[in-house]
Amino acid sequence: MDADPVGDLALLAARDPRVRFAAEARLREAGPAGWDALAQLAACDPLPPLLRARASDLLGTLRRERTVAAFREAVPDPTHADLWTAAVAIATEGHPDLDCRRVDERLERLVEDARERVAEDLPIAARVTQLTAFLHGDAGLHGSESGPADLRNSYLPDVLERRTGIPVTLAVVWLEVARRLGLSGAGVGLPLHFVARCETSNGPVFIDAFHGDVLDASGCRRLVAKAAGREVEVPDRLLNPLRTSEVLTRMLRNLRAAHERAGNLHAALATADRLLHLEPLDGGSLRDRAVLLARLGRPTAAARTVARALALEPEAPDRTRLEAFRKAMLRDAARLN
């Protein structure tokens, strides 16, 4: 029998959980038709609060699952992740029908334009300067005043189309264009800012793709001081190149903070799940995931997540608080049952 996603919507408010869960399963199986029906229902006004809440929750869950699955597919092995592929996959949360090939084609056009402006026979430092000037000037890639609050600044397809972004996404574009031009580089996670780093015969240079500047170590420290509005100690270790997974972690943490500020808990949870894919034993991400699950009304899952964090960090300084949280979640779960 053909699926009837619209007919299943009303059953989301059923008192009998067996009826409701069966309707949820059919909406899942309906694929895009089920998602469209849920989105239209969630946008209806007026709508009974219970039905709206369950439709929104199921839609958020489906989007989260798809987002996390796309990231895991792009990063099958976090220890050998391709930065560009993984960073583009992050945008799946905002672009459900993302065509990665079209994004790559747009980038390749940028690379070809850069190839005409960046001389191959110059020293690396000079090539870095030329590339930075081209991308920030002629290509128009520049920092956005709206920052992470505008999610488009965190999604590479939008960054390439709009030519605006936040420091880490603009640095990722710089790094990938540089790589395709034969220049190797890495990301550097400064306090309050993010830059790219490229090795030259005279030592490393740092590229602030947000402002279009090429800096030395002293310039990086001045950049941080300006962002902070005061002098900030920046030890040499913070100028070291990051691993690919660490760059992706920076991107995802920016997104999680933006989603939490906006109250988009499912999207924030999707970010926590992707962070745990990169580092499954990270106690901080497990704590964040547990809190988000609790706020979404999933106490059993929250309790399991906290238990995992406690098992990984038996001597955690906040163990007493975490144990209390776990017991509270188990009590909430018992009441729901």
Side-chain angles (χ1 to χ4, degrees), residues 76-101:
D77 180 0
T79 62
H80 294 89
D82 177 79
L83 177 59
W84 180 254
T85 301
V88 170
I90 288 175
T92 302
E93 67 173 42
H95 296 274
D97 301 317
L98 181 65
D99 186 341
C100 295
R101 289 174 299 180

Side-chain angles (χ1 to χ4, degrees), residues 273-288:
D273 286 344
R274 284 174 287 178
L275 284 166
L276 284 167
H277 175 65
L278 294 174
E279 183 47 74
L281 305 183
D282 181 57
S285 292
L286 286 168
R287 288 168 170 76
D288 292 338

Side-chain angles (χ1 to χ4, degrees), residues 141-148 150 152-153 162-167 170 210:
L141 283 157
H142 61 280
S144 169
E145 295 298 327
S146 56
D150 185 342
R152 295 174 297 178
N153 292 325
R162 300 170 66 240
R163 301 299 169 106
T164 63
I166 55 178
L170 291 170
F210 190 86

